[in-house]
Amino acid sequence: MYQQSKHNIFSKIKDSNEYYLVNILSGNADILEPDEALKFKENRIDNPDIYIEKGYLVNPDDEERIFREKYLNFIDERDSDEIQLFFTPWYTCNFNCSYCFQDEYTNPEQTVTDEVIDAFFQYIDNQFAGRKKYITIFGGEPFLNTPKHKQTITKVIEGANIRKLDIAVVTNGYHITDYISILQQASVREIQVTLDGTQTVHDSRRILKGGQGSFQKISDGINALLKNNIPVNLRMVVDKDNIHDLPNLAKYAINQGWTKNTLFKTALGRNYELHHCQTNNKRLFSRIGLYQEVYNLVKKHPEILEFHKPAFSIAKFIFENGELPNPLFDSCSGTKTEWAFDYAGKIYSCTATVGNTGDELGTFYPQTKLNSKLIEEWEERDVLAIKKCRNCSVQLACGGGCAAIAKARTGNIHSEDCRPVKELLELGIGLYK
Ligand code: SF4
Ligand code: SF4
């Protein structure tokens, strides 16, 4: 009657004799001694009541009912979540990064007009009336240092201010100091800036179109933001060429005093192929390859954790919150709580698709036209809609992955972009335990 839950995630903890057992549907996680783990694996459990109570052993019909209930809650709650609206005023960029995923886009070097900005605000006023929302200014590079570009960013900020909306910006960081006075007019959620390492490493990857390095100006920009109480999200894009510099960047950030500032946070972004192959793709990590390397580096240089605490799927969440996160029936926010809009009046699902020919979902200028069939396909994507995900034991930690990556790989939005959840938990529980 009782059998092992299909949502159990069970494996040996890295560099330990112990095992972990996690069940996101029931909200439980335990560390098992080796003999206990063996008995569990072989279905020879001495004290089944505890396992039943924790939802590791279940009656499948009961479990299915709980799954449905939690699924409906997830959908309901998401309908009232805040929406992130990306606005791309141009695709122009002053950098020539070695791994840019937009570098083969064919968008003309044009800048948004006032008319299009007005149409954008009108569209979001109508379409997302009554929803919590904020605007993230994206590019190309949004902070270009000409009066025209500054006027345009100022107009977007004014539009946000009238509606009492926060803004965020994704920038390469080169002209931050030139934009401080403009940012002071806004309610800024965060400025996301990229540093790929300390000076030599960063300057070998993220260079100006003329070939000069950018590290020092970005570092000065981060200091200027923090001095003005503007939150910073520092992102390091990593691959095999620069991962070795993570400990050095951590030390640099600690020495600058950034890590002590509550307005400072970090993210590690994996360099990966999206719409086209990179010329030097041997340097790219697989997801698990990256986190294995990060695990080894943290063991050797624990100060990295002061700079960045990697999520390792849900491992960090469990140790920081003392409980499990809610089940993730869908990890892709595109068209649900995220939309992207560009200077040409086109609408896309998110940052991964904005500007990519063929990924348009409609227009907001010169007139509003939506491709409802395509939008529906995006909206319906979750672990129930994707065939391979339906019976996957890690579905509630993975959520089906990224729709844009899945589509680029298979041509089908309703296909899987697998996360190595079990392996990530082996590492993460090993590290944070
Ligand atoms: S398609 Fe990928 S990048 Fe876009 S919202 Fe979904 S998960 Fe994020
Ligand atoms: S994307 Fe892969 S790992 Fe994620 S839920 Fe679907 S089948 Fe499982």
Side-chain angles (χ1 to χ4, degrees), residues 42-58:
E42 295 175 350
N43 265 324
R44 297 185 286 110
I45 298 165
D46 298 332
N47 47 354
D49 286 354
I50 297 177
Y51 285 79
I52 291 169
E53 197 182 304
K54 291 192 168 184
Y56 300 135
L57 292 179
V58 294

Side-chain angles (χ1 to χ4, degrees), residues 162-382:
I162 292 168
R163 293 161 180 82
K164 297 195 171 28
L165 301 179
D166 286 354
I167 64 134
V169 184
V170 179
T171 170
N172 61 33
Y174 195 75
H175 286 299
I176 286 174
T177 45
D178 304 301
Y179 270 83
I180 291 286
S181 59
I182 293 175
L183 289 172
Q184 281 166 337
Q185 318 299 318
S187 170
V188 182
R189 185 75 62 98
E190 71 172 34
I191 306 295
Q192 187 193 295
V193 192
T194 305
L195 270 184
D196 277 0
T198 48
Q199 185 139 22
T200 315
V201 172
H202 174 92
D203 285 350
S204 67
R205 300 161 62 88
R206 298 188 60 86
I207 46 176
L208 283 168
K209 288 233 153 93
Q212 307 94 311
S214 58
F215 179 88
Q216 198 51 53
K217 283 218 23 162
I218 298 171
S219 174
D220 294 346
I222 294 172
N223 281 318
L225 289 170
L226 293 174
K227 199 168 143 219
N228 283 279
N229 293 322
I230 300 174
V232 173
N233 184 358
L234 174 58
R235 185 160 175 268
M236 180 182 184
V237 176
V238 280
D239 54 40
K240 292 174 190 166
D241 285 353
N242 70 331
I243 187 78
H244 65 276
D245 207 35
L246 173 61
N248 296 331
L249 184 61
K251 270 181 226 139
Y252 183 85
I254 293 166
N255 291 340
Q256 290 288 316
W258 297 344
T259 54
K260 290 247 175 315
N261 192 319
T262 51
L263 298 175
F264 179 80
K265 66 177 182 182
T266 54
L268 275 192
R270 185 174 63 99
N271 183 9
Y272 67 98
E273 287 175 331
L274 185 56
H275 303 301
H276 63 80
C277 299
Q278 293 193 18
T279 36
N280 176 13
N281 67 2
K282 287 213 171 58
R283 67 177 174 175
L284 302 182
F285 276 118
S286 64
R287 277 203 180 87
I288 191 62
L290 168 62
Y291 280 95
Q292 264 154 359
E293 193 56 37
V294 171
Y295 174 92
N296 294 336
L297 282 171
V298 171
K299 285 267 177 183
K300 241 167 116 184
H301 307 276
E303 68 275 13
I304 291 173
L305 293 182
E306 208 176 308
F307 171 71
H308 179 73
K309 280 209 177 75
F312 291 105
S313 181
I314 57 166
K316 178 173 98 161
F317 186 99
I318 297 175
F319 285 93
E320 283 188 346
N321 298 282
E323 61 178 10
L324 270 79
N326 289 328
L328 186 62
F329 294 91
D330 175 26
S331 54
C332 174
S333 44
T335 75
K336 293 121 176 179
T337 56
E338 183 174 339
W339 289 88
F341 305 83
D342 79 358
Y343 77 91
K346 293 181 182 162
I347 303 176
Y348 300 84
S349 60
C350 65
T351 54
T353 55
V354 68
N356 192 39
T357 308
D359 281 337
E360 302 86 353
L361 298 178
T363 58
F364 63 93
Y365 178 88
Q367 70 232 60
T368 299
K369 254 200 209 150
L370 296 174
N371 184 335
S372 28
K373 192 167 165 277
L374 257 185
I375 293 173
E376 231 168 74
E377 229 184 292
W378 273 87
E379 285 174 338
E380 283 170 357
R381 185 182 187 275
D382 61 24

